[in-house]
Amino acid sequence: MTDYQLSDATRAKFKKISTASIATALFKRGLRNQFIQGVVPVAPKAETMVGQAFTLRYIPAREDRNPITVFQNPNHPQRVAMETCPPGQVLVMDARKDARAATAGSILITRLALRGAAGVVSDGGFRDAEGIGALDMPAYYAKPSAPTNLTLHEALDINVPISCGDVAVFPGDVLVGDRDGVMVIPAHLADELADECTNMESYEDFVLEQVKAGETIIGLYPSTKEEHQQKYQAWRQENGR
């Protein structure tokens, strides 16, 4: 758990930062396993997903505990998670990377979106994926899956540490998702990474411009020549970066 609160300023910075830049910044700090494996956007979105993690943990279903009638229970954890995930946060689901059954469908995810969630991530499946993809809210999953969650999953714990796509996700961690996938940022590193990666994005924009103009990457990326640093500083002043 963490007391960290993602500020509007840091959220806005991450909206302009790629998961690739975040992965590099985390690697510099010795964190090599923060990219959620095996999940993709249900549908690509123009805006980057940014929000703190609110978690739901599934365990393997046992038949005597998971008949269809469990959904009559108003305290069913899957339903409760949809109704309690705070606005601006990302619901992250641990399905043990088992996409043979859905972890949610379009009705529940629509409710989550209308309540103001910043996104949803599952290392399992979604049913009615087309409807989820039509929402403005970003959503990430392993693949479409028609069977109800009850066939293979039992929703058990809300807002506890989980695994999602082989990454440890703690409530309050910051998730950033783009078309490549989703990075998990430990909360205590979020603000400093937002600043560092903003500078990285600026330099990489400069580099790409130089490469398109025919410049060699040797000495440019990474920057090892003073002449490139001088050109970059001039580029920053010219472009307000």
Side-chain angles (χ1 to χ4, degrees):
M1 297 295 185
T2 178
D3 293 328
Y4 175 79
Q5 295 292 318
L6 180 67
S7 69
D8 290 341
T10 296
R11 186 189 296 270
K13 290 174 184 176
F14 278 127
K15 288 280 187 181
K16 299 178 180 179
I17 294 170
S18 70
T19 54
S21 292
I22 294 168
T24 299
L26 288 169
F27 176 68
K28 290 177 182 177
R29 291 162 173 79
L31 296 169
R32 302 165 180 258
N33 187 43
Q34 300 302 120
F35 184 70
I36 296 180
Q37 297 295 322
V39 307
V40 296
V42 176
K45 304 297 179 185
E47 188 169 309
T48 297
M49 179 186 76
V50 183
Q52 289 185 263
F54 185 86
T55 66
L56 174 64
R57 184 172 76 98
Y58 284 100
I59 65 169
R62 199 177 74 188
E63 288 79 1
D64 64 325
R65 291 177 53 90
N66 289 276
I68 195 71
T69 53
V70 297
F71 285 146
Q72 296 175 12
N73 179 4
N75 295 317
H76 188 271
Q78 184 203 42
R79 267 53 179 176
V80 172
M82 301 297 163
E83 295 291 344
T84 57
C85 178
Q89 295 197 11
V90 176
L91 178 61
V92 189
M93 292 186 269
D94 174 4
R96 311 171 315 285
K97 300 199 304 180
D98 189 342
R100 292 176 297 158
T103 49
S106 64
I107 292 176
L108 270 63
I109 300 302
T110 297
R111 172 62 178 164
L112 184 70
L114 290 175
R115 291 191 58 255
V120 60
V121 181
S122 172
D123 63 0
F126 285 151
R127 64 199 307 196
D128 309 313
E130 183 176 358
I132 294 172
L135 297 170
D136 290 335
M137 183 187 73
Y140 294 80
Y141 70 159
K143 65 178 184 179
S145 187
T148 177
N149 64 302
L150 299 176
T151 61
L152 289 171
H153 307 302
E154 177 178 346
L156 194 68
D157 292 318
I158 295 174
N159 223 27
V160 298
I162 63 169
S163 170
C164 186
D166 295 327
V167 179
V169 181
F170 292 84
D173 283 349
V174 176
L175 274 72
V176 178
D178 59 15
R179 296 189 180 200
D180 285 353
V182 181
M183 291 297 301
V184 180
I185 304 168
H188 68 281
L189 295 175
D191 291 341
E192 65 182 75
L193 253 70
D195 290 335
E196 179 178 327
C197 291
T198 296
N199 292 330
M200 288 173 60
E201 293 281 334
S202 172
Y203 185 70
E204 290 192 358
D205 286 347
F206 163 75
V207 167
L208 188 57
E209 188 175 298
Q210 296 298 302
V211 169
K212 287 180 176 179
E215 183 64 70
T216 176
I217 60 169
I218 305 301
L220 174 65
Y221 189 69
S223 177
T224 58
K225 292 184 178 180
E226 179 62 27
E227 64 186 88
H228 291 312
Q229 277 299 318
Q230 292 175 357
K231 288 178 68 174
Y232 172 54
Q233 294 305 323
W235 179 89
R236 289 187 69 184
Q237 289 186 347
E238 181 180 341
N239 292 275
R241 300 289 294 274

